[in-house]
Amino acid sequence: MQLNFKKLGAGKPLIILHGLFGSADNWFSISKELKDNYTLYLIDQRNHGDSPQSTEWNYEVMASDLKEFMDKEGLEKTYLMGHSMGGKTVMNFALKFPEKVEKLIVADIAPRYYPVHHQSILEGLNAIDLKTIQSRKEADDELAKYISEMGIRQFLLKSLGRDSDGFIWKINLPVITEKINNVGEALPEGGSFDGPTLFLAGANSAYVQQSDLDDINTFFPNNEVEFIADAGHWLHAEQPDAVVKEVRKFLK
């Protein structure tokens, strides 16, 4: 699958993968701070952003997408960073293709299984009738019945696009709704990645806990774990300066 991506900067390559319901644009502001030292590749994963849509959607195919992308771009070995779902993708990739990963950064996700917890988001997105809404405000008003936090609604509605016939979803909402269980899958047992690995976690997030450290040590024995103060799950949006500082320090 030929993934959509943005490329900027100069230096050693650093690939960044977004999380569920997101896109490459989510990490653009972080990338601008790093572009003087690295060549950034911001990728839309399948069924997100401007990348192709498919009924196949799991970490095995997303890791294979990343391998195909690197081959097409002539990237033998890179720095990899992924947030949430993107973090699970890069972890799976590192286990499968360790020779292609120089250093690994995983943002606010652990190797373990996560139960489905996006029901209200999916209900809200599916409640928006794209055939009848006339404005983004109407979409937001409908979504607000399910999600009270304006910031989360604004993030989700970044995936609401337009074509000649009206509004469209850039995410593959039917497939994501059907296969949402795949997002929470644990890493397959038995493998490990011995290269340098940084886990960045939001101190206010429930996604990475002290109880996850044993799993992290098992799969990624050469790891560092840093908790970002005053940050939740979207740590790159809430504390961008702290994230950039930790990324620079680790990659240096």
Side-chain angles (χ1 to χ4, degrees):
M1 177 177 287
Q2 189 164 345
L3 301 176
N4 180 67
F5 70 100
K6 292 179 171 65
K7 180 180 177 181
L8 67 155
K12 285 190 173 183
L14 167 60
I15 296 174
I16 303 180
L17 299 185
H18 62 80
L20 181 64
F21 304 119
S23 70
D25 290 343
N26 299 154
W27 284 83
F28 191 71
S29 60
I30 295 289
S31 297
K32 287 195 295 184
E33 297 299 317
L34 298 169
K35 66 181 177 64
D36 290 341
N37 303 104
Y38 304 98
T39 300
L40 283 300
Y41 295 85
L42 311 181
I43 294 176
D44 286 333
Q45 296 192 83
R46 69 167 57 199
N47 292 330
H48 290 74
D50 293 320
S51 281
Q53 299 193 353
S54 169
T55 56
E56 276 194 293
W57 188 57
N58 55 57
Y59 288 116
E60 183 177 354
V61 296
M62 287 192 281
S64 295
D65 289 343
L66 181 53
K67 170 67 161 54
E68 183 179 344
F69 173 83
M70 289 180 63
D71 289 345
K72 286 182 177 177
E73 290 297 308
L75 301 173
E76 291 294 325
K77 198 169 187 178
T78 69
Y79 299 136
L80 277 183
M81 177 160 62
H83 172 243
S84 197
M85 180 185 77
K88 278 283 182 74
T89 300
V90 298
M91 283 192 280
N92 276 274
F93 182 90
L95 296 185
K96 194 171 184 180
F97 307 106
E99 72 283 356
K100 299 192 75 64
V101 184
E102 185 80 31
K103 290 185 177 182
L104 182 68
I105 302 174
V106 181
D108 211 56
I109 199 78
R112 63 176 161 92
Y113 166 76
Y114 290 79
V116 175
H117 53 281
H118 300 95
Q119 292 93 333
S120 60
I121 288 177
L122 288 170
E123 288 175 12
L125 294 176
N126 280 289
I128 299 171
D129 188 346
L130 299 184
K131 295 179 180 178
T132 61
I133 61 169
Q134 299 296 313
S135 66
R136 299 182 72 86
K137 184 181 184 307
E138 287 184 20
D140 184 58
D141 289 343
E142 184 63 36
L143 198 56
K145 298 175 184 177
Y146 300 84
I147 303 165
S148 59
E149 298 92 338
M150 181 182 293
I152 294 178
R153 297 200 309 272
Q154 289 176 335
F155 164 73
L156 294 168
L157 290 174
K158 287 181 179 179
S159 292
L160 186 63
R162 299 198 76 151
D163 65 11
S164 57
D165 296 322
F167 286 100
I168 58 168
W169 285 117
K170 291 187 173 185
I171 55 173
N172 190 340
L173 186 57
V175 168
I176 291 174
T177 302
E178 177 189 353
K179 300 186 176 181
I180 190 63
N181 285 315
N182 293 347
V183 175
E185 284 186 347
L187 263 62
E189 294 183 4
S192 66
F193 171 69
D194 296 330
T197 304
L198 171 66
F199 281 81
L200 288 177
N204 300 333
S205 171
Y207 276 74
V208 179
Q209 304 289 320
Q210 291 294 325
S211 56
D212 292 316
L213 297 184
D214 285 345
D215 268 353
I216 289 172
N217 288 331
T218 296
F219 285 103
F220 305 96
N222 185 9
N223 76 76
E224 303 173 29
V225 180
E226 296 289 345
F227 287 88
I228 304 295
D230 301 316
H233 186 53
W234 284 280
L235 64 174
H236 55 298
E238 297 170 32
Q239 296 295 335
D241 292 343
V243 169
V244 168
K245 179 182 176 182
E246 293 297 338
V247 168
R248 280 182 174 150
K249 182 171 71 172
F250 177 69
L251 295 185
K252 222 168 189 180

